Amino acid sequence: MAALNGKWSYAEVQNVDAYLTAINSPAEYKDRLVRLIETAKSDPQAYTEELTVDKAAGTVDRVVRKRGEAAKDYGTVRFGDERDGHTMDGRPAKVKMLLESDSRLFRLANGEGFTTVTLYEVVGDQLVVVAYGNGVKCVSKLRRV
């Protein structure tokens, strides 16, 4: 089983405002996302990401839940295939997932006016998510729930 598998919630986020500004996130998306992240820091069930990596099949499933209800089900994504998806703020993008190891996953997203690269990496008991966009980096640390 991949170390990435499990349900995760935000514990800490650094530089999210600057990152969202750099990728031209509209104010209403940015404000809503920042509020959600802040709530999740004190209430892990407010927002969770569930990852299921199947190395043998070459796929990953990613489901975002708000208060336990599936808010975004990205479905099964085959590594290396490009498909329609969304940025962390909800805008449409072409997305590709790449698995480097049991503990490292990359997500590439291209949309109107932005390109982002996001690294998901298990470090100790945390999922460290580093998002890069237009020269700005946002680092999030998620805890297993």
Side-chain angles (χ1 to χ4, degrees), residues 105-117:
L105 177 70
F106 287 90
R107 183 177 190 273
L108 314 172
N110 291 298
E112 191 173 321
F114 66 89
T115 296
T116 63
V117 176

Side-chain angles (χ1 to χ4, degrees), residues 14-52:
Q14 301 165 358
N15 212 33
V16 69
D17 284 322
Y19 171 77
L20 292 171
T21 298
I23 64 168
N24 304 312
S25 181
E28 67 272 13
Y29 288 115
K30 185 166 91 170
D31 294 344
R32 185 176 61 221
L33 183 61
V34 169
R35 280 193 311 273
L36 184 60
I37 290 169
E38 288 304 315
T39 301
K41 286 182 193 178
S42 60
D43 178 3
Q45 295 306 315
Y47 177 96
T48 60
E49 289 198 30
E50 192 170 343
L51 295 172
T52 307

Side-chain angles (χ1 to χ4, degrees), residues 94-114:
K94 293 291 184 184
V95 176
K96 187 183 289 189
M97 304 291 281
L98 304 168
L99 183 68
E100 183 177 281
S101 71
D102 282 350
S103 61
R104 286 175 61 103
L105 177 70
F106 287 90
R107 183 177 190 273
L108 314 172
N110 291 298
E112 191 173 321
F114 66 89

